Amino acid sequence: MTTIALIVVLALLAALAVGQILAASGLPLGRFAWGGKHRVLPRGLRVASAVSVLVYAGLAALLLSRAGILPAGDSAAVIVLTWVAFAFFAASVALNAISRSPAERWTMTPTSLLLAAATLVIALGGG
């Protein structure tokens, strides 16, 4: 079960990273991110999108560790941070569900729900 959850998380984080890179590059994907207010993201949100790719990479490394693929998966820091990641994704479900952007609401709410569920499986299962 942990392996399937890990595949789901990694695939979703990779897809989100690609989307953020495209939005940061100036493509008109802003309605899917940062509240959906801008069709094309302004400079500050483009930078935030680029930084979010690094956050996604860190989350992927964390969950790979917790799942036993990378070392230190049973360390207290990794365990606590995995639960923090779960809480972040769980909160994202609610925040995306109330977005004013229909595109963000209909794409990111289920994405966040899948990320939260898969992260919960990884948090409980470990490596």
Side-chain angles (χ1 to χ4, degrees), residues 73-90:
D74 288 331
S75 72
V78 169
I79 292 169
V80 168
L81 288 172
T82 301
W83 284 106
V84 169
F86 166 72
F88 171 77
F89 291 137

Side-chain angles (χ1 to χ4, degrees), residues 48-127:
S49 284
V51 170
S52 72
V53 173
L54 300 175
V55 172
Y56 296 150
L59 287 166
L62 170 72
L63 296 171
L64 282 164
S65 178
R66 183 67 186 127
I69 306 299
L70 294 178
D74 288 331
S75 72
V78 169
I79 292 169
V80 168
L81 288 172
T82 301
W83 284 106
V84 169
F86 166 72
F88 171 77
F89 291 137
S92 295
V93 174
L95 293 172
N96 284 306
I98 63 171
S99 173
R100 291 183 179 174
S101 166
E104 186 176 45
R105 204 171 41 247
W106 290 106
T107 59
M108 296 309 298
T109 302
T111 300
S112 297
L113 184 60
L114 285 170
L115 285 167
T119 301
L120 178 60
V121 170
I122 294 167
L124 292 171

Side-chain angles (χ1 to χ4, degrees), residues 3 12 21 37 43 49 71 83:
T3 302
L12 289 172
I21 289 167
K37 182 178 177 183
R43 187 177 192 283
S49 284
W83 284 106

